[in-house]
Amino acid sequence: MHGQPRRPKKPEDGAAAVAKAAKLRDLQAQVLHNHHTSTYTEEALGLSFKLLEINPEAYTAWNYRKLALRHNLKEPEAIKSVVDDELRVVEAALRANLKSYGAWYHRKWLLNQKLTPVDSKREFGLLDKLLKLDARNFHTTADGVWTDFSTLHRFLAKSMGVPEEDELKYTMVKICDNFSNYLAWHNRSILLSNLLVQQSKGFESKNKIFKEEFDLVTQALFTDPSDQSGWFYHLWLLAQTSSPDNPQLIASWPCNDAKLSLFHISKSDDLNMVSSSSSICCYSLKDRIVPIVLYFDEPVKGLNSSNVKLNSDLVIGKDIQWRPLSVTDSGHSNCWVTYLEISNKECSSPQQFSVEVGIPCSDDMVSRSGSPCSSPLHFTFTIELSNSNDKPQEIDLFHEPISWNCSESFRSDGNPSCVAFDQLNISNTVVQENSKWHLEGLSDQIDLFRELPDENSKFAKLTLARLLLACAAIKSRGNSLIERKGYCEEALGLFSDLINLDPSHKRYYEDERSLVIMDQLTCDMRTFMKYCSVQVKSNSAPLNHVQLCRLSLTCIGFTERMLWVQMLDLSHNSLRSVEGLEALQQLACLNISNNQISSFTSLEPLTKIVSLKALDLSFNQIGAHPIDTTRYICSSPFSHKGEPCEEAFEACRKKNIDVEEFWDAILFFKSVKLVQLDIKGNAVADKDDFRTVVTTLSASLKWLDGTCVH
């Protein structure tokens, strides 16, 4: 693999493999017996050595040798010989399999014991020999961390006190020997990151260093455009160049200077009975809840009541908690939310309450790279409350089922208030200067890659598309919308080419193309307003409505620009996931019918939207696949990661429902409070007991596929 030719099998290879397997089973049985009986004699260790020569991945044998080493170190004079013997065993195992995890980690463990002085010349000499045998060293773990002798190399350098500047020079030597050396490129990215953070001598200027690195990797790419190693390094450089050094707050709900109120409708259906003509309808105020959403340009963690200050005339309890809205358990999220709960006492008379949100500089709020939020910001908004003693007609969106044909259920009442599009603008001098340099560097790279001779290189096309989109993102901070549109159109063309050129990665390119389309539609108010309206239903509050249908979207992006949306129509696309919609805490009605949703677990982000009441899932693919692997991406009831759900399972068992068959549906419906659900056209809707599952867990449900439930 990895460019190494396969040797064709010979007839005698089969008999040799059978004999080898028999010997391996016999050795494994003897080593396990010695391990269980704690036998650490010279003969027993010899058997484990023979096993590891044949199968260096026998982890039990390595663990057995660790225990034997500790047992045999009781005599101090034998320490050196025991350690040397163990090192020779590792070397023999590596000759059998250069990329044996067990062997490399055993050697690292042994050296870390510091039983004898480490012979650095010997260790680095061994690594150098192995690098010559496999200069590419293309071997990674599932999380992308480079392993094998890469980790041992960094471990040795650190333990020997080798300066990182010298290590960086060594990576250059290996790259010059072979541009395909994945290890050298990867180590170079780690070392440069450390040196720039530490502001080491000669590494004070990030701009100068990255310009030199772009020149270096460009040479590699133009020398052999088909080699992947340089492209990976270029992708890392692009990420460093196109993003701010520190995470920035880019959007919030409520937006700055917003006025929130709950529209009360009188019997005369007077739609203008609001507290203020400039107010924004906040439907969640009906439940005396106001969500506050903070959206950052990269995932961060560490938000809490001590570093995000809330000041208000409202009585704010001490138990304010900021929650990440990501679908993972990493603790990092682009989007964070907290909920202000308004008591009946505060609604005893009509009045306005001001709320100020302040985010000072804090070392506790950090990105995945460890960079802190260093730009202090604050915004304010106003909540208008009515007199709770007044008895206007109850606001009810669902006195009859909502039809997504607006002419049937709603009437349009113009466009949403422009204040709903406001975002927090980051416009300090440092960001402007960095953006100028970033744009110049990216523009140079774009010109270079447009001249790349290999027109059918998927790596070149993908990198060029990423460069164009990075420039478009920088242009979005200014007013260069025409130039920005040109970048996006060219990137769309490249993704279309890639879908045809590299069909095995079609879904990835489709997702990237969808993000560009979402960016184009929402990047400026004039364009976005074509898809927006205010929909008004009889005896109800007006809803900010966005319709993004039939756009071939496979995923959702740029939701930070839609935090104000209350009614969203994404029907007739090709969506496979709804990730990102969890940021829309004002969303009350969602239509994702006629898409490619294949499981309830892919709908998990919707469980975090407290205001969601109407959901149209009709004509998707839920339950259509006999083996649906997407079910296991999210938490299962057996993973011990989800919220307690035994009560929901017990309620279903009492009605003789097969919990194992419907566990993902149970997890979903126990976590949402829907009033209306449409799910016809899905295979799961035809299954016995499914309707019982829904009605058992959804006490608030009023309409199911257009039929009144209660």
Side-chain angles (χ1 to χ4, degrees), residues 138 178 203 268 281 304 318 335 355 372 453 483 514 564 582 657:
F138 185 59
N178 188 342
F203 296 87
S268 62
C281 173
N304 54 54
K318 296 181 180 180
C335 188
V355 180
E483 192 173 359
S514 293
W564 48 273
E582 65 273 9
I657 294 170

Side-chain angles (χ1 to χ4, degrees), residues 478-698:
N479 297 314
S480 308
L481 294 178
I482 296 177
E483 192 173 359
R484 184 184 189 285
K485 182 180 179 182
Y487 287 134
C488 291
E489 292 293 342
E490 186 175 353
L492 284 174
L494 289 167
F495 285 126
S496 296
D497 291 344
L498 284 164
I499 290 172
N500 297 322
L501 184 64
D502 184 21
S504 61
H505 296 98
K506 176 183 177 181
R507 285 195 169 191
Y508 172 77
Y509 301 131
E510 287 177 340
D511 286 349
E512 292 297 302
R513 185 176 63 182
S514 293
L515 293 177
V516 180
I517 293 172
M518 289 287 294
D519 187 17
Q520 284 187 302
L521 297 179
T522 61
C523 66
D524 72 287
M525 187 172 66
R526 181 178 297 178
T527 303
F528 200 9
M529 290 289 277
K530 297 176 184 177
Y531 302 90
C532 304
S533 63
V534 173
Q535 300 298 328
V536 182
K537 189 175 181 181
S538 175
N539 296 327
S540 184
L543 297 176
N544 290 330
H545 177 253
V546 171
Q547 190 173 37
L548 300 173
C549 306
R550 294 181 170 85
L551 297 171
S552 300
L553 299 176
T554 59
C555 67
I556 303 162
F558 299 94
T559 51
E560 71 272 15
R561 300 170 183 171
M562 302 192 294
L563 301 182
W564 48 273
V565 174
Q566 296 162 315
M567 187 175 184
L568 179 60
D569 189 348
L570 290 166
S571 62
H572 298 278
N573 282 295
S574 300
L575 294 174
R576 297 182 284 266
S577 167
V578 295
E579 186 174 353
L581 291 183
E582 65 273 9
L584 277 55
Q585 290 293 305
Q586 285 293 296
L587 190 63
C589 305
L590 174 63
N591 182 2
I592 48 175
S593 63
N594 294 278
N595 277 280
Q596 296 178 17
I597 304 297
S598 60
S599 69
F600 286 108
T601 49
S602 62
L603 299 173
E604 186 182 21
L606 302 184
T607 65
K608 301 180 181 182
I609 306 176
V610 296
S611 59
L612 185 63
K613 303 299 180 184
L615 177 61
D616 191 341
L617 291 171
S618 54
F619 302 103
N620 274 276
Q621 301 172 7
I622 302 175
H625 305 284
I627 301 176
D628 183 9
T629 56
T630 60
R631 306 177 76 200
Y632 306 103
I633 295 175
C634 304
S635 301
S636 80
F638 312 109
S639 68
H640 306 291
K641 293 181 181 178
E643 297 178 0
C645 52
E646 186 55 39
E647 184 177 339
F649 285 114
E650 187 58 33
C652 291
R653 289 191 190 100
K654 288 180 179 179
K655 297 194 176 183
N656 298 317
I657 294 170
D658 186 347
V659 169
E660 292 185 4
E661 180 181 3
F662 293 108
W663 67 263
D664 52 348
I666 294 171
L667 282 175
F668 178 73
F669 287 109
K670 84 172 185 64
S671 303
V672 293
K673 297 180 180 178
L674 298 177
V675 178
Q676 176 176 327
L677 172 67
D678 293 280
I679 199 166
K680 58 183 177 293
N682 289 272
V684 71
D686 298 327
K687 290 185 177 181
D688 295 338
D689 296 331
F690 175 73
R691 183 182 178 92
T692 306
V693 170
V694 175
T695 54
T696 298
L697 299 175
S698 304

